[in-house]
Amino acid sequence: MRVLVITNPQATSTSARERRVLANALGAHADLTVEETANRGHAAALACRAMREHVDVVISLGGDGTVNEVVNGVLTDGLHSHVPSVGIVPVGSTNVFARALGLPEDPVEATDELMEALRTGRRRLVSLGRADDRWFTFAAGVGFDAAVVGQVEKRRRKGRRSTHSLYVRTAVSEFFRSDRRHGPLTIDRPDGTSISGLHMAIVANTTPWTYFGSRPVTPTPDASFDEGLDLYARRSMRLGPILFGAAQIMRKGSHRDPGALVEHDLAGLRIRSSRPVPVQVDGDYIGEHTEIQFWSIPRAISMLV
């Protein structure tokens, strides 16, 4: 079995030595190659090359951004018989996709699980989302949350660490500088109906959307890898409804929020905007758009779990 491990030197929760030890441990059950990323997009290029060279498994040793690149890389040519299986050793700051799959949060324990999956051939077919030509594993965002992601990325390029407090401070700043009166978004549903005047949207492939420490944040509590996409959109961005909505999505189970639109198990949807708005996929800012199409792709990727 040929295995490529793609390791991100910018991963926030491990040292270079720890990442090297974890990667080498995986070689016990495979013909192993280890590659380190040098810049944004490099993981996708390495994964694409591995797919075209018929490598059996590509393992992401990094955070959600590295996983997203690996998935996009192995699916560069679409769904076909030579797409490698994907494994994850989660060493990022949040690791939403890995945790949603039920993988251990500890990298050493996750490596043990991955070695067992390699030894036994244990796999799980997982559905993915697409935002235009970009695959996503757990969620995409349009509007406010994408603006926060974009601002955090700018601060990280200046040397700031990715922490929960950085996201909270950035979110508060972005909230008070945004236009909270006029919602620019229109959602076009698969049945041909539309809803306008929305301020932001989260398109989810699973739940939770993210974590605040160990606490899951669940705007779409019924989302699942085994169904279509779920939608959470804000009708109101006034302070009172936002605080109520934030309290609701921090709760376990279902919730009721008159300031939000929540829809379940959609095959696809389109989001249009009256002005360019930020978009993110799996926590990766991809610029401003005025229209973006989303699809659910069932059983799109084979994951080692």
Side-chain angles (χ1 to χ4, degrees):
M1 180 185 298
R2 297 173 62 204
V3 176
L4 171 65
V5 177
I6 298 175
T7 175
N8 178 6
Q10 303 303 316
T12 57
S13 67
T14 56
S15 67
R17 180 180 177 278
E18 289 168 329
R19 290 191 296 273
R20 187 165 56 252
V21 169
L22 292 170
N24 290 337
L26 294 165
H29 302 291
D31 174 12
L32 186 78
T33 302
V34 179
E35 296 274 8
E36 187 173 278
T37 60
N39 48 55
R40 184 170 179 170
H42 193 192
L46 292 170
C48 175
R49 185 180 69 190
M51 174 269 295
R52 290 174 177 169
E53 292 178 353
H54 296 184
V55 168
D56 299 294
V57 175
V58 179
I59 295 172
S60 167
L61 205 162
D64 286 314
T66 308
V67 175
N68 179 274
E69 285 200 23
V70 166
V71 167
N72 275 275
V74 299
L75 293 175
T76 300
D77 298 336
L79 306 181
H80 56 83
S81 60
H82 297 302
V83 174
S85 295
V86 173
I88 305 172
V89 178
V91 294
S93 58
T94 310
N95 306 307
V96 177
F97 185 47
R99 291 161 81 174
L101 285 169
L103 298 177
E105 295 179 47
D106 180 77
V108 175
E109 293 180 15
T111 300
D112 286 341
E113 287 284 324
L114 198 51
M115 287 191 293
E116 180 67 11
L118 285 169
R119 187 182 67 82
T120 62
R122 194 174 65 220
R123 304 287 192 276
R124 176 184 176 184
L125 285 173
V126 172
S127 299
L128 296 175
R130 286 199 69 167
D132 287 344
D133 59 353
R134 180 73 176 259
W135 298 88
F136 62 94
T137 62
F138 61 91
V142 181
F144 174 72
D145 87 304
V148 173
V149 168
Q151 290 301 314
V152 167
E153 284 192 6
K154 287 182 181 179
R155 288 164 171 77
R156 291 187 66 185
R157 286 195 293 269
K158 295 178 180 178
R160 300 288 297 277
R161 280 181 58 83
S162 177
T163 62
H164 294 300
S165 62
L166 175 60
Y167 274 92
V168 170
R169 292 195 302 272
T170 305
V172 171
S173 174
E174 192 64 32
F175 175 78
F176 284 108
R177 66 191 292 267
S178 63
D179 179 1
R180 303 190 302 278
R181 297 183 62 187
H182 307 100
L185 303 184
T186 297
I187 306 290
D188 297 327
R189 296 186 179 107
D191 63 5
T193 61
S194 299
I195 301 177
S196 299
L198 300 169
H199 293 265
M200 62 163 284
I202 294 167
V203 181
N205 187 47
T206 188
T207 192
W209 165 52
T210 189
Y211 289 86
F212 190 76
S214 61
R215 181 187 292 271
V217 183
T218 58
T220 55
D222 297 322
S224 167
F225 288 128
D226 299 318
E227 297 182 280
L229 300 172
D230 279 25
L231 170 71
Y232 174 91
R234 292 296 311 175
R235 293 187 174 98
S236 172
M237 290 292 283
R238 292 184 293 114
L239 183 58
I242 279 289
L243 292 175
F244 178 81
Q248 291 288 301
I249 67 176
M250 296 295 287
R251 297 173 51 196
K252 291 184 178 180
S254 60
H255 47 74
R256 294 187 178 183
D257 179 0
L261 168 71
V262 180
E263 302 204 355
H264 174 60
D265 193 18
L266 302 172
L269 67 149
R270 181 174 61 173
I271 299 179
R272 295 178 284 123
S273 178
S274 59
R275 62 175 185 267
V277 290
V279 177
Q280 63 87 9
V281 292
D282 288 347
D284 187 11
Y285 180 72
I286 61 170
E288 294 189 339
H289 296 250
T290 55
E291 183 175 317
I292 188 160
Q293 180 74 44
F294 295 91
W295 299 271
S296 173
I297 312 298
R299 300 167 64 86
I301 194 80
S302 171
M303 299 296 305
L304 279 77
V305 294

